[in-house]
Every structure is written in C-alpha cells, then in structure tokens.
Amino acid sequence: MHSRSERKMILWSSCLIFSLSYSILVFSSPPANHLCRPDQRDALWEFKSEFHFSGIAPNEKKQKWLNNNTDCCFWDGVSCDLKTGNVIGLNLWGSSLNGSLRSNSGLFKLQHLQSLNLSSNNLAGTLPDSIGDLRHLRVLKLYGCGFFGKIPSSIGNLSQLTHLDLEGNGFTGELPETMAKLNKLTKLLLSTSELTGNFHHALLNLSELTWLDLRNNHLEGTLPSNMSRLSKLEHFDIGSNSMTGTIPTSLFMIPSLVLLNLEKNSFTGPLKIGNNISSSSPYKLDTLTLGGNSLNGPIPVGFISKLVRLSYLDLSYWNTMKGAVDFSSFLRLKSLVLLDLSYLNTRSKFELNLFSKLVSLAVLDLSGNSLKISSSLHLPSPIGSLSLALCNISEFPNFLRTQTNLYYLDISANRIEGRVPDWLWRLSGLLYVDISKNYLTGFDGLIQTSPIEMLDISSNAFQDPFPLLPNSTRFFSASDNRFSGEIPTTICGLISLDTLLLSRPALLLSNNGFNGSIPRCFESFNTKLSLLHLRNNNLSGLFPEESIGAGLVSLDVGGNQLSGELPRSLINCTLLEFLNVEDNMFSDTFPFWLSSLPDLQFLVIRSNKFHGPVYSLRGGSLSFPKLRIFDISGNIFTGVLPLDYFAGWSAMTSDAYVTDDKQGRFMGISFSNYHKSVVLAIKGSEMELLGSGFRMYKTIDVSGNRLEGDIPRSIGLLKGLIVLNMSNNALTGRIPPSLSNLTSLQSLDLSENRFFGSIPQELGKLSFLALMNFSNNMLEGPIPQGTQIQSQNSSSFAENPGLCGAPLQETCGGGEEVYEVKEDNDQVLSWIAVAIAYVPGVLCGLTIGHVLSLYKPDWFMRIFHSFA
C-alpha cells in the first residue's frame, strides 16, 4: 500500500497532467470550435451586411470582421459569455455605419445581449419596436444616431435596463407611458432631441434614477410638486426647455443632488425655500444653474450660502424687483469656479473688489449690474472669462493688465471713451474681445501681434486708419463705426482656416463709409466664411462671383450701389438662410433658382431694378418651404402670379414662431448674434427688424411693381402670415374671401390696384388686423362690419367710387346688394392649389378632373383652358 504522502503526490500529478492536457487542447484548437456559437456569428454577419460604411479607409472595426474564419467573440466590439458562447455585448460606437435599423435586423437575433452601444453612427430612421425584444439589455446607448419619430413603447419591455442613452437624436412627441416599467433605471439621457409635452409622471416611478438629463427639448408645463420621490437623484438637467410655473421646493429636499440645471426656461418666482428643508438640503450640490428664467423676488442668499461645495452658480436674469442683494453672502462659497449674477435688476451697487476673495474663480459674469471699480483692484489670477457688459463703466478697466490668464473679455455697452490701450494686446491668452457699444475712437499698439480670434468693435466711433488684424481672426465685427475708403485687401487674410472648426468665420462691416468695389480677394475664404455683412456703405460695381463661398449662411449687402446681376454662385450656398440685397441697382430677372436652397428663410431684394415675371418661365410652382420674409417690392416685376404660387411655402402655413437660435459658440461661450437686420413696411411705416424680431414676423411684400391678374387663391394657405402688402400694382379681379384664413394677419395693404366687387365680409372676423388699406381701387358695396375695420381711418377706403358705410360718410341704401364670391367655389380653388403643389401622381389628377367634369363641366373647362 502506498503511504499517505505518496497518494497525495500521485493525485497532485494526475491533476497537473489533466490541466496541462486541457490547456493544450484549448489553445491548439481554433477558438471558433469552442466559444462562438454559429447562430450568433451568423446574426452578427447579417447585421453587418445591412449597412454600408462611410469614409475612404475601411473602418477599423469593420476590418476585424472581414475574416470569416475567426471567432466572433474576438471581433472588435463583441463580448461573449465564456460559458455559453452567446454574444452579450456589442459596442460599435463611431463605426461609420450608414443605413436604417430594420425591424427584422440580424441585431435582434442576439437575444442574450446585455449591453448595446451603436452611438455616433448614421442610422437615420425610426427606432423599430423590435428593440423591445432584447429583454436582457442592461445598457442601451444610441447617442447621436439620427433617429426620429416617437420613442417606441416597446422600450418598456427592457425591464433590466439600468442605463438608457438616447441623446442627440430627433425623437418627437411625449415619452411613452411604458417607461414607468423601467424601475431598475439609474441613468436616463434624453437631451438634445425634439421631445414635447409635459414632464412625464412616469418618470417619478423610476425611484432608482441617479441621472436624469432632459435638456434642449421642447418640454413645457410645470414640474411636479413631489420631485423628492426621486430620492437618489444626483444629476437633474432640464435646461433649455419651455417649462413654466414655480420651481418646486421638493427639488431642494433631495440630499444626494450634485447637479441641478433649470436654466433657460420660463420658470417664475419667487423661489420659496423654507426652514423645514434645512435638515435635508442638498449639501453635496456642485452645480446650481437657475439663470435665464423669469424668477423674481428676493434671492435666497441665506440658503445658497450654505451650499459650501458649489463650484458653478448661475442666477442670471433674476428680477429682484429693485430689491437689495447681499453680495457678501456669496463669499462663503470658497470653491466657486463659475459665478453668473448678470442682469439681476437690483438697486444694490457693489465693489468689484468684493470677489477678489474667491481665489478659485475662473468665470465671472456681472453684466447688467452697477459696479464700482477701484484703481487698486486685483482679481484672482485664475479668471479666464470676465463679462462686465452694461455695468456703467466709464474708463477702460486698468486692472485687466494683470489678468494674465484672461481669454474672454466682454466690456460692451458701457460708457468707455478714448483709445484702446496697447497693453490689452499683450495679454498672451486673450482670444475673444467684445468692446462694442462704447465711445472708443482708436487703438494704441498693434492688434496684429495678439492671438485674437474673435473681435467685436462695432457701434463705437472708430475711424481711419483701419486696424491691421492678426491672421488668427475668425470673427470680426466693425459695423456702425466711421471707417471710410476702400475695404482694405489686408482683411482677406483675417480668417484662419485651420483652427477652431466649430466657430463660424464672419466679417461684419455694415454701416460705415466704405466705397469702391467689393474685394475679389474674399475668394481666399473659400467655403469657410459663413457671415458676410456689408450693408449701408457706398460700395459700387458688380458683385464678384468669386466672393461667394459655399459656406455662406447670411449675406447682407443692402443699402449700397451695387449693379449687374445677382451672383449665380449663390446657388452653391446650400446653407444660406438670410439674403438681403435691398436698395441697390441690381438689374436682373427674378432669382427663381434660389428656391433650390433648402434653408432659405429671408429673401429681401426690394428697391432694385429686377424685372420680368416672378416665376420660372419653364413652369412649375415656386416652393420656398422655410421662407418667412419675402420682400420684392419696389422693382419692375410684371406678369400674373400663378394660381398655386404660394402652395409650397410651408413655413408660413403655421402661426408658430420659429426658433432663431443661431448664436455662434466659442469655447462653450456664446458670442454676438448674426446682426441680421432688414427694413419692412409694417402697419403703415418702415420698421427695422433685428435679431429675435425674425422669429415672429412672416411677411410678403410685392408692392410697387407691375403685377397683373388675380390674387392667387393659394394665399389663403399661409395662415401664419403677419404682413401682406400687394399695393401699387395692376392687380385685378375680386378680393378673394380666402384672405379670411389668414387669422394671424396684422397688416393688409391692397391699395392702388384695380380690384372690383365688394370687400369680403369675412375679413371683418380677422381680430388681429390692426391696419388695412383698400384705397384707390374700383371696389363697391358696403364695408364689412367689424371692430377692426370700423376703427380704420376713412383714408383706408378712399377713392373707391362705390364703397359705402362706416368709416366713410357715404351711407348704403336699403336695396344695396352685397357682392360676394360664393364661398364654395373659393374653397374648391384653394384645394386645387394645394393639390397642384402636393398631391403626387397622375392618377389623383385624373380623378379630380373626372369628378369636376361630371358635376361642373363648364366651370372645369374654363379652369382647364386658363392653365393651358
């Protein structure tokens, strides 16, 4: 018999031999024989075959999938369960996938997936309901995939989810009710989409949530009063929405809260934080941003000063209603890196020196407050961004010369006089400077030696010589100054094309005294220049084709003496939104070819010598789907407007305002708006629209031309129209009752034409119509009854021999006939206009024609021959 020690040795040796043998078998055999299940491999290959890959070089992850002989569990981005061979993880983030995710995709055959990341691919389309079949998913990341439509209700089937990221897509509508089932969810990221509706009550059921991000959507309504039900919440972001009502106190009762962002909504105040929440206050809070709302009343500085861990605090645009603010309370927040107390509407005036004790401060915005700046002021050196706009400063702040870390400076809209000191350009890190809206006259020292990339000197009293700018400059605005002479050709080198690709290169020189021609050297900007504004100078000659870059978003050369034709190279500017060439001497036909620009919103060519018909002689309707301002007045246009002329102008068919959020961003900081401006004839006088005014106004002005024929009945489709001016033409026929569909109309001018018949009685129902003018026509019959019409001056109806009734002195006899066009015929014409523009297919057209020929054959033939 073996001894016990010998038996142990034999047993140990046997185990060792067995282990070595097994290892040799494992490593000497192809992995595919052991780990990757064939059905899983085939599903992956099927999924891959559904997409094409963008880019010149094959994607790295695609390369790893090319060899069909390798184990799929070792493919890049694939993870497997080592015991079963099932694929449990798929990470194809940024893999250049192009194509829609099909409902029968091979992806959904991977039933054991626990983690799926398809973020940053081009999967434009709807997210299929089949996503709910992957019931083992714990992590689902679909950030920036281009999905649109509603979030499928089947998402509620993923009961194991702990992390759901759908940010940066185009999802619309409300969140599905089924989301309440995701009771294991800890992170829910839905920012930067098109979601609407109220804050969904289903979210309050997700008690495990630590992270909830809903910023940059279109959510509205109020926040629930019981927000503290989300007791584990650490990160809550609902900034940049349309939320209203008061901010619920319960939010400040969540002790785990680290970030609370409610900025840029429409919350109202006051903010009442009682003593009863002191025991559960969120003392972990690092970020509190309440700015950009409509909060009012006292700022709860006593409560805020207890949040000693705060790094970021934004209380901007808080209306204290001229109340006092104890700014010294903020000094307890020793960890502050960012402090925004701009535009508080307070009577308190304070020393800027007060904030010198906040030694960690890097970003400080005190704009819109009344400051005192002592000569011995010294702010902490970490400050990199300083905004002191509209602070009643009268001298150039001398303390800035010691701010060696400063990269962003805004001292605009103050009362600073004299010259810009030379030491400013020696601050080696300074990249952005806004000194606009002051009384500055010149520069000491050379700007050219500085690293400036964005410079705004507009609305001052600067005059020649024009400054030499560094080649690094990408945004330069010198509008509203006193510069003269020719635009210096040295300016053509001011745009650096190799850096900061996220910013918008811009050149704004409007409202100066420049003369001569537009420099041809603008061609050096190539496709990068996005804003070119030269309005209200004395520029002359032709507009050089080579000065039009394909990257243009906004072009304004109005108020000069430019001649010739409109540059045809504009057709290459597929990003163009704003085009203004008013008050020049352009002599050209109507630029119907501009309708091919998908984003064009503002077309102003008034007061030139444009001539001929206002449509393409080749036929077809003129479609401007995003156009909001159309002004061709004061030219020599002739001809008849086609029946369906306005049928494709879909942006004007709604009365909703269009968000005009086109502010540039520079290192995360917003800079000046487009400085867009245009003069419109509104309510009887000229009015200049700037910036946000473009959100509201939807106008059509074709006045002062030689247009003939009837008003197209398709005008009735434009229900969002605010201003309609067709005066001083040779238009004839009856005023169409379809104008009564323009329920948002505020100004209507049809004067100095040849209209006959009566004024449609339906116009009396337009409650917003504040100004109207029907004078100098051939109208007759009683003036419609209505408060808005009766309040007009009698001159609005003058020189119409047959009109009677208030506000005219001529009374109408009892036997007077009211001349009306039958409503049903008018509606039929309107629907025909829609059909011509939108109903596809010859079959629909034949069907409509057949029905009309059966029931109104004579009338149909007249319409048919009018088109022929």
Side-chain angles (χ1 to χ4, degrees):
M1 300 218 22
H2 297 290
S3 65
R4 179 176 296 181
S5 59
E6 288 176 333
R7 288 200 301 270
K8 286 183 178 180
M9 181 65 69
I10 293 172
L11 180 62
W12 183 88
S13 300
S14 301
C15 291
L16 179 62
I17 294 171
F18 177 80
S19 299
L20 289 173
S21 301
Y22 180 78
S23 299
I24 292 171
L25 286 173
V26 169
F27 287 105
S28 63
S29 303
N33 294 338
H34 302 277
L35 195 53
C36 183
R37 286 176 44 179
D39 63 313
Q40 302 286 282
R41 180 199 60 205
D42 293 344
L44 285 170
W45 269 97
E46 180 182 344
F47 174 60
K48 173 188 170 293
S49 67
E50 296 165 12
F51 301 94
H52 63 275
F53 295 81
S54 62
I56 299 174
N59 183 271
E60 182 180 349
K61 290 177 179 172
K62 178 192 174 186
Q63 288 266 44
K64 298 289 183 68
W65 287 28
L66 291 179
N67 188 352
N68 196 19
N69 295 322
T70 59
D71 190 328
C72 74
C73 294
F74 292 92
W75 292 351
D76 211 27
V78 178
S79 303
C80 292
D81 186 317
L82 297 180
K83 293 182 179 180
T84 64
N86 291 320
V87 175
I88 59 173
L90 187 59
N91 183 0
L92 295 179
W93 175 89
S95 296
S96 304
L97 299 178
N98 286 273
S100 298
L101 186 58
R102 304 197 303 249
S103 59
N104 60 347
S105 170
L107 174 68
F108 303 121
K109 296 179 182 179
L110 302 172
Q111 291 287 307
H112 300 276
L113 273 179
Q114 298 177 17
S115 177
L116 174 62
N117 187 352
L118 300 179
S119 299
S120 300
N121 286 290
N122 182 19
L123 307 179
T126 58
L127 181 61
D129 288 333
S130 309
I131 193 69
D133 296 341
L134 303 177
R135 295 174 183 265
H136 295 283
L137 275 181
R138 297 175 184 174
V139 176
L140 176 59
K141 297 182 180 181
L142 300 175
Y143 170 84
C145 289
F147 288 116
F148 53 79
K150 292 188 175 183
I151 297 174
S153 60
S154 63
I155 206 88
N157 298 337
L158 307 179
S159 58
Q160 302 301 312
L161 269 185
T162 61
H163 187 130
L164 176 59
D165 185 352
L166 302 178
E167 287 186 335
N169 287 285
F171 289 115
T172 56
E174 298 188 25
L175 297 179
E177 291 275 354
T178 55
M179 197 163 279
K181 300 178 182 179
L182 306 180
N183 52 22
K184 293 184 179 180
L185 209 56
T186 59
K187 284 191 176 183
L188 178 57
L189 310 178
L190 296 168
S191 70
T192 318
S193 283
E194 304 292 332
L195 296 173
T196 56
N198 297 334
F199 183 89
H200 207 295
H201 64 86
L203 297 176
L204 294 180
N205 294 329
L206 309 182
S207 57
E208 298 297 316
L209 273 183
T210 61
W211 196 296
L212 178 56
D213 193 343
L214 298 166
R215 72 184 186 278
N216 291 330
N217 280 286
H218 305 293
L219 302 176
E220 54 190 8
T222 60
L223 285 176
S225 59
N226 55 345
M227 288 295 295
S228 56
R229 285 180 57 183
L230 300 175
S231 58
K232 298 181 180 180
L233 207 56
E234 298 175 5
H235 180 119
F236 180 58
D237 192 341
I238 199 167
S240 299
N241 278 281
S242 301
M243 304 297 296
T244 56
T246 58
I247 297 174
T249 305
S250 59
L251 264 176
F252 298 95
M253 298 176 66
I254 305 176
S256 56
L257 211 55
V258 175
L259 180 146
L260 177 58
N261 180 15
L262 307 177
E263 67 176 358
K264 297 179 183 177
N265 279 280
S266 298
F267 289 113
T268 54
L271 180 60
K272 298 179 180 179
I273 302 179
N275 295 327
N276 61 322
I277 68 167
S278 59
S279 60
S280 58
S281 296
Y283 291 117
K284 295 181 180 180
L285 204 62
D286 173 85
T287 300
L288 176 61
T289 53
L290 305 176
N293 284 285
S294 299
L295 299 172
N296 56 48
I299 296 175
V301 290
F303 169 75
I304 292 175
S305 64
K306 296 178 182 178
L307 307 176
V308 293
R309 296 189 181 184
L310 274 182
S311 296
Y312 301 89
L313 176 61
D314 180 0
L315 303 176
S316 60
Y317 292 92
W318 194 308
N319 183 7
T320 69
M321 307 175 75
K322 294 296 182 181
V325 177
D326 181 9
F327 288 97
S328 62
S329 298
F330 298 113
L331 301 183
R332 302 176 191 173
L333 307 176
K334 302 294 185 182
S335 301
L336 276 182
V337 174
L338 179 150
L339 178 60
D340 189 344
L341 299 176
S342 58
Y343 304 102
L344 297 182
N345 189 25
T346 174
R347 70 170 184 268
S348 300
K349 189 172 184 178
F350 56 95
E351 290 270 1
L352 185 57
N353 193 53
L354 181 70
F355 298 98
S356 62
K357 299 178 182 180
L358 299 175
V359 295
S360 299
L361 209 55
V363 178
L364 177 62
D365 191 344
L366 300 174
S367 299
N369 293 294
S370 187
L371 293 180
K372 295 179 183 177
I373 301 178
S374 64
S375 57
S376 60
L377 173 64
H378 177 75
L379 288 180
S381 57
I383 286 187
S385 174
L386 180 63
S387 300
L388 302 176
L390 201 64
C391 287
N392 204 28
I393 301 171
S394 57
E395 296 182 358
F396 209 97
N398 194 54
F399 75 91
L400 292 174
R401 67 166 68 215
T402 63
Q403 302 303 310
T404 54
N405 290 316
L406 201 64
Y407 61 83
Y408 178 100
L409 175 64
D410 182 358
I411 52 174
S412 63
N414 282 290
R415 299 183 294 110
I416 304 173
E417 301 179 352
R419 299 173 69 83
V420 182
D422 58 351
W423 52 258
L424 182 67
W425 315 117
R426 292 198 292 269
L427 297 177
S428 59
L430 198 58
L431 301 177
Y432 176 102
V433 175
D434 188 349
I435 53 177
S436 64
K437 300 175 184 175
N438 282 287
Y439 302 97
L440 296 164
T441 57
F443 300 92
D444 289 334
L446 294 174
I447 306 177
Q448 195 176 27
T449 60
S450 72
I452 295 294
E453 295 186 344
M454 311 187 87
L455 178 61
D456 191 344
I457 64 171
S458 61
S459 300
N460 277 284
F462 288 111
Q463 51 192 341
D464 299 328
F466 194 82
L468 291 174
L469 298 163
N471 291 337
S472 58
T473 309
R474 294 184 59 80
F475 176 95
F476 179 61
S477 176
S479 299
D480 298 281
N481 279 288
R482 301 175 184 173
F483 293 116
S484 59
E486 295 188 351
I487 297 176
T489 55
T490 55
I491 207 170
C492 292
L494 70 86
I495 303 282
S496 172
L497 301 181
D498 300 322
T499 61
L500 291 176
L501 297 179
L502 295 179
S503 61
R504 292 177 179 270
L507 176 60
L508 310 174
L509 301 177
S510 298
N511 301 314
N512 280 283
F514 290 114
N515 55 38
S517 58
I518 295 176
R520 294 181 178 272
C521 64
F522 285 165
E523 63 185 336
S524 63
F525 295 158
N526 198 5
T527 61
K528 301 295 182 181
L529 189 67
S530 63
L531 278 70
L532 178 59
H533 290 189
L534 306 173
R535 68 177 284 108
N536 291 343
N537 283 285
N538 297 309
L539 300 171
S540 57
L542 304 178
F543 197 115
E545 291 273 353
E546 56 268 35
S547 291
I548 302 294
L552 271 179
V553 175
S554 181
L555 174 63
D556 190 346
V557 293
N560 285 287
Q561 301 167 34
L562 300 172
S563 57
E565 297 182 347
L566 208 59
R568 294 301 190 269
S569 51
L570 284 170
I571 201 170
N572 299 320
C573 303
T574 55
L575 302 176
L576 194 66
E577 297 177 2
F578 180 88
L579 176 62
N580 187 1
V581 300
E582 65 182 353
D583 292 319
N584 278 285
M585 295 185 290
F586 285 108
S587 180
D588 199 353
T589 55
F590 181 76
F592 62 88
W593 39 273
L594 289 176
S595 64
S596 64
L597 301 181
D599 294 321
L600 190 64
Q601 299 181 43
F602 317 104
L603 176 58
V604 181
I605 60 174
R606 60 178 284 176
S607 302
N608 279 281
K609 298 179 180 179
F610 288 97
H611 53 271
V614 290
Y615 55 89
S616 171
L617 295 176
R618 298 177 182 177
S621 62
L622 189 68
S623 178
F624 285 113
K626 292 190 177 181
L627 204 63
R628 288 188 273 148
I629 293 180
F630 179 69
D631 191 344
I632 62 171
S633 61
N635 283 287
I636 322 171
F637 288 119
T638 57
V640 177
L641 295 177
L643 183 70
D644 64 338
Y645 193 71
F646 300 110
W649 299 28
S650 52
M652 294 193 189
T653 61
S654 169
D655 57 2
Y657 293 166
V658 178
T659 301
D660 189 17
D661 186 17
K662 288 294 182 183
Q663 287 191 336
R665 303 293 296 181
F666 175 65
M667 298 184 72
I669 302 171
S670 63
F671 63 93
S672 302
N673 206 317
Y674 276 3
H675 298 266
K676 290 180 294 209
S677 67
V678 64
V679 176
L680 299 175
I682 298 176
K683 298 185 179 180
S685 60
E686 289 193 339
M687 171 180 171
E688 185 174 27
L689 294 182
L690 294 167
S692 61
F694 290 109
R695 300 184 194 177
M696 300 180 290
Y697 279 92
K698 298 177 182 179
T699 72
I700 291 177
D701 191 343
V702 298
S703 63
N705 284 286
R706 301 173 186 175
L707 300 176
E708 302 173 345
D710 294 345
I711 296 177
R713 268 51 173 182
S714 56
I715 193 74
L717 300 171
L718 310 184
K719 295 182 179 181
L721 203 58
I722 301 288
V723 176
L724 176 60
N725 189 348
M726 308 185 84
S727 64
N728 195 15
N729 277 285
L731 296 170
T732 58
R734 298 177 184 271
I735 297 174
S738 61
L739 285 176
S740 64
N741 295 332
L742 310 184
T743 52
S744 299
L745 203 61
Q746 298 179 18
S747 177
L748 172 64
D749 193 345
L750 301 179
S751 62
E752 298 187 62
N753 280 287
R754 301 172 186 172
F755 293 117
F756 58 82
S758 65
I759 299 175
Q761 296 293 316
E762 294 87 348
L763 297 187
K765 301 176 182 178
L766 297 179
S767 56
F768 293 108
L769 192 54
L771 182 139
M772 60 195 78
N773 193 346
F774 298 97
S775 63
N776 292 282
N777 280 286
M778 297 181 288
L779 298 169
E780 55 187 342
I783 296 173
Q785 300 298 303
T787 304
Q788 296 293 80
I789 291 182
Q790 301 302 313
S791 64
Q792 299 297 307
N793 191 286
S794 59
S795 61
S796 297
F797 304 93
E799 303 301 325
N800 285 283
L803 279 183
C804 59
L808 295 177
Q809 294 182 354
E810 292 82 358
T811 59
C812 299
E816 290 286 347
E817 182 182 357
V818 177
Y819 298 94
E820 296 183 9
V821 179
K822 288 186 178 181
E823 184 79 13
D824 56 345
N825 282 356
D826 192 70
Q827 288 179 349
V828 171
L829 284 171
S830 294
W831 282 111
I832 286 178
V834 178
I836 291 173
Y838 294 109
V839 179
V842 177
L843 182 59
C844 291
L846 291 175
T847 304
I848 292 171
H850 179 66
V851 172
L852 292 177
S853 64
L854 288 175
Y855 290 95
K856 294 189 177 184
D858 296 336
W859 182 81
F860 172 74
M861 291 306 296
R862 288 200 299 273
I863 295 296
F864 177 82
H865 287 300
S866 69
F867 280 114

